[in-house]
Amino acid sequence: MRKMNFAQAINEALRNELRRDPKVFLMGEDVVHGVFGVTAGLIDEFGKERVRNTPISEEAIAGGAVGAAAAGSRPVAEIMFIDFATVAMDQIVNQAAKMRYMFGGRITLPITFRTMVGAGIQAAAQHSQSLEAWFTHVPGLKVVYPSTPKDALGLTIAAIRDDNPVMVLEHKLLYAMEGEVPDENEPIPIGVADIKREGKDVTIIATGMMVHKALNAANQLASNGVEVEIVDPRSLFPIDKDMIYDSVKKTHKVVIVSEEVKRGAWTAELASMIAEDVFDYLDAPIMRIGALNTPIPFSKTLENFVVPNETDIIKAVQAIV
């Protein structure tokens, strides 16, 4: 095993795939230098033809990626912040997600859309959103959300090799987080969850940065005799129902936590699936935790108030134990 941070793991995945497949290329605003250093240094090895700065136009980035993929390339298109994907929705939702279907499967659309999500750095209302539910709603898109350097490396490789458009969500607070990654650069299959902590009393299903807050909460709960199991879906669609349901059947209690605004969140879809498919195993109501229904404030104090934290998770667990 090697140690690297989350940003370095993504950089390693991109470098690996650029070396492996000459059809892979990077495109986006300032990818030559790289936001948070994620794509830094790649131009030195691969040149400006394969590491391409674009105009400041997310619609052009997404549209260019669709055209390049349809013509046989494997673009990795960076939409710097997921907030900016709103101006590229036609290309992502109506073109990338649907073109393979509308051509009867005669073409593939191997596009990786990398984008930053989440709050925590006082980037305010237009640079801090968690909009994963919008994209999991769209047939034809896959959505992955790594929470560790190991997962970031493996899922990014898997996304680039996939013949369908894949959204890779990267929480900006995770870039500096260090962790172990395998010596060999191998893909992690899309649609396979991971148990980040074994437990018997309550299942917490958490995504992104919330995985780490759930782990902190679980350590505090353990001191009071409550053993929490933490499941990281890693892939929001397709989703690993089997691993999630097996955990629910073991603990009989569920808390689902994400950084999304709670109203209309992806967590609601997951809660509905659990209620429909394994309701008889539940001994308590499904609890959902999300951000408050407000734009993310600039003020650090207010930002911390709006986004879920360990105390929110502990209270939810205590309410159903």
Side-chain angles (χ1 to χ4, degrees):
M1 301 289 281
R2 302 166 286 168
K3 254 200 167 177
M4 60 180 65
N5 66 33
F6 194 92
Q8 290 167 335
I10 298 169
N11 185 283
E12 174 82 1
L14 297 173
R15 189 181 302 275
N16 188 86
E17 295 308 290
L18 285 162
R19 287 174 177 169
R20 192 187 71 90
D21 188 346
K23 292 183 290 187
V24 174
F25 73 95
L26 313 184
M27 60 187 297
E29 299 164 14
D30 204 27
V31 293
V32 167
H33 298 99
V35 180
F36 291 96
V38 176
T39 56
L42 295 176
I43 193 169
D44 297 333
E45 180 174 350
F46 302 103
K48 64 181 182 180
E49 291 300 311
R50 300 187 65 198
V51 182
R52 305 174 72 103
N53 277 349
T54 66
I56 302 175
S57 171
E58 283 72 27
E59 185 175 16
I61 295 167
V66 170
S73 294
R74 304 188 82 88
V76 180
E78 181 179 303
I79 307 293
M80 194 179 292
F81 292 84
I82 199 170
D83 316 67
F84 304 163
T86 56
V87 297
M89 290 297 273
D90 178 59
Q91 297 295 340
I92 296 171
V93 172
N94 287 327
Q95 307 303 329
K98 296 176 172 62
M99 191 174 288
R100 189 174 186 185
Y101 176 85
M102 294 175 70
F103 277 74
R106 287 178 292 173
I107 64 170
T108 59
L109 266 293
I111 309 169
T112 301
F113 292 108
R114 291 184 45 249
T115 188
M116 284 194 293
V117 301
I121 64 168
Q122 292 184 268
Q126 295 178 341
H127 297 73
S128 304
Q129 295 177 87
S130 295
L131 302 176
E132 45 265 42
W134 289 13
F135 299 100
T136 57
H137 180 72
V138 179
L141 292 179
K142 297 182 180 182
V143 183
V144 299
Y145 196 174
S147 67
T148 65
K150 174 185 174 183
D151 293 344
L153 176 65
L155 288 172
T156 301
I157 291 174
I160 296 171
R161 296 184 187 181
D162 201 293
D163 283 336
N164 302 282
V166 183
M167 304 285 298
V168 180
L169 311 183
E170 303 164 11
H171 197 291
K172 53 183 73 72
L173 282 186
L174 293 176
Y175 283 135
M177 185 170 289
E178 288 195 338
E180 291 188 333
V181 302
D183 290 329
E184 300 296 325
N185 294 336
E186 296 292 339
I188 292 173
I190 294 174
V192 177
D194 188 40
I195 295 178
K196 293 293 195 264
R197 187 184 195 277
E198 298 272 357
K200 61 181 177 59
D201 297 320
V202 181
T203 295
I204 296 179
I205 304 163
T207 60
M209 188 63 194
M210 293 299 119
V211 171
H212 301 279
K213 293 188 179 183
L215 287 167
N216 292 338
N219 289 335
Q220 296 180 54
L221 287 161
S223 65
N224 293 320
V226 179
E227 289 299 328
V228 170
E229 180 152 291
I230 297 174
V231 181
D232 178 358
R234 298 196 295 194
S235 172
L236 306 187
F237 186 83
I239 189 167
D240 188 349
K241 291 184 180 181
D242 291 340
M243 186 177 291
I244 290 171
Y245 291 175
D246 286 346
S247 182
V248 172
K249 291 174 183 178
K250 179 169 72 170
T251 67
H252 308 287
K253 301 177 183 70
V254 187
V255 174
I256 311 173
V257 54
S258 79
E259 197 172 310
E260 310 161 273
V261 170
K262 185 178 177 182
R263 183 180 67 216
W266 170 85
T267 59
E269 174 67 17
L270 180 57
S272 177
M273 288 165 50
I274 293 169
E276 289 175 3
D277 296 340
V278 288
F279 177 80
D280 289 343
Y281 290 91
L282 293 173
D283 290 343
I286 300 170
M287 302 292 284
R288 288 198 303 126
I289 300 171
L292 301 182
N293 290 320
T294 180
I296 300 297
F298 169 72
S299 160
K300 186 64 177 175
T301 301
L302 291 176
E303 184 181 44
N304 290 339
F305 181 73
V306 166
V307 174
N309 57 35
E310 288 84 350
T311 301
D312 299 320
I313 297 170
I314 290 169
K315 287 180 178 178
V317 170
Q318 291 173 335
I320 58 174
V321 170

